[in-house]
Amino acid sequence: NAGVTQTPKFRVLKTGQSMTLLCAQDMNHEYMYWYRQDPGMGLRLIHYSVGEGTTAKGEVPDGYNVSRLKKQNFLLGLESAAPSQTSVYFCASSVAGGPREQYFGPGTRLTVT
Amino acid sequence: LAKTTQPISMDSYEGQEVNITCSHNNIATNDYITWYQQFPSQGPRFIIQGYKTKVTNEVASLFIPADRKSSTLSLPRVSLSDTAVYYCLVKNSGGGADGLTFGKGTHLIIQP
């Protein structure tokens, strides 16, 4: 039982490049979330999903897209990376929605130059 | 979105009880308050959740007053390994999951 895994762990992009971050969970959770964490800002919700085939915007969705084609996977895409998207990205999943117990992945450290 | 407010940092010593308070004035009326612990270069880890009054598990207690506009995480007899950042998570009223708001975290430093 791996819990929540994220791929890749580190990435460096040039401004304007695109990439996809993959989150996978093996706990059969309905809810999945993408957060970004910046120094002094805590965690901010980017997008979330309440089930397979659904996605919704969080607090800071601009510049990101997501897809949840399979229940166990939640993908976060950056179509045209900007230096402001330099951050640590965390994926999480939960059985129930709202501020309930969430299981977090180890994070992806992204640098955009 | 309404803010959640936590102290930026706290210091304590091994064996002491530590209380960390989070203010959340605009919390949704029908949802939980959750606390997480985060070590450097790791994802947050769930500690405890509650709706009202007091909740206790094997690692912490959570105190929530009747108006639910704040919550206090209590760590009994802390050790050096409790040095970490602690976050509260609530949902603001009027929102769906997009109303989820983490506090900015409290950096707890435990000294010998």
Side-chain angles (χ1 to χ4, degrees):
Chain A
N1 189 338
V4 179
T5 58
Q6 293 183 232
T7 309
K9 289 184 170 50
F10 304 94
R11 186 71 185 270
V12 178
L13 287 179
K14 295 187 187 307
T15 296
Q17 288 184 320
S18 64
M19 77 164 295
T20 301
L21 283 67
L22 171 63
C23 175
Q25 53 96 2
D26 61 3
M27 296 172 284
N28 202 35
H29 287 169
E30 290 292 339
Y31 293 77
M32 296 189 73
Y33 312 84
W34 275 107
Y35 294 91
R36 60 176 290 173
Q37 185 172 40
D38 302 300
M41 297 294 293
L43 291 100
R44 292 181 293 170
L45 183 64
I46 306 172
H47 285 280
Y48 65 99
S49 168
V50 302
E52 181 179 317
T54 74
T55 63
K57 295 180 180 180
E59 180 187 354
V60 289
D62 293 342
Y64 305 95
N65 57 75
V66 288
S67 65
R68 183 116 180 255
L69 299 179
K70 293 182 179 181
K71 185 176 184 178
Q72 64 268 34
N73 296 337
F74 196 27
L75 279 63
L76 178 70
L78 287 72
E79 290 187 348
S80 180
S84 61
Q85 294 177 304
T86 293
S87 187
V88 180
Y89 292 86
F90 288 102
C91 175
S93 70
S94 64
V95 172
R100 304 296 181 91
E101 182 175 358
Q102 295 185 15
Y103 294 80
F104 282 80
T108 295
R109 185 173 296 275
L110 174 65
T111 301
V112 183
T113 61
Chain B
L1 289 176
K3 287 185 178 180
T4 56
T5 304
Q6 302 177 231
I8 293 173
S9 65
M10 296 179 67
D11 294 325
S12 188
Y13 294 91
E14 283 192 294
Q16 299 296 304
E17 178 184 76
V18 171
N19 296 311
I20 305 173
T21 297
C22 178
S23 298
H24 29 75
N25 292 323
N26 198 34
I27 187 172
T29 56
N30 59 348
D31 225 321
Y32 281 72
I33 298 159
T34 315
W35 282 79
Y36 291 81
Q37 176 191 56
Q38 186 178 29
F39 297 112
S41 301
Q42 294 185 23
R45 184 176 69 96
F46 170 84
I47 301 174
I48 195 167
Q49 68 184 16
Y51 180 74
K52 61 181 179 180
T53 63
K54 177 183 175 182
V55 178
T56 298
N57 63 19
E58 63 275 10
V59 298
S61 294
L62 180 60
F63 298 91
I64 303 169
D67 66 6
R68 293 180 15 100
K69 292 185 183 301
S70 67
S71 57
T72 299
L73 175 72
S74 181
L75 303 172
R77 298 179 298 281
V78 293
S79 64
L80 295 177
S81 63
D82 291 317
T83 292
V85 180
Y86 293 82
Y87 295 94
C88 62
L89 172 64
V90 302
K91 189 173 80 173
N92 289 297
S93 63
D98 60 317
L100 288 178
T101 302
F102 271 92
K104 292 187 178 180
T106 298
H107 189 191
L108 176 64
I109 299 172
I110 305 301
Q111 302 181 45

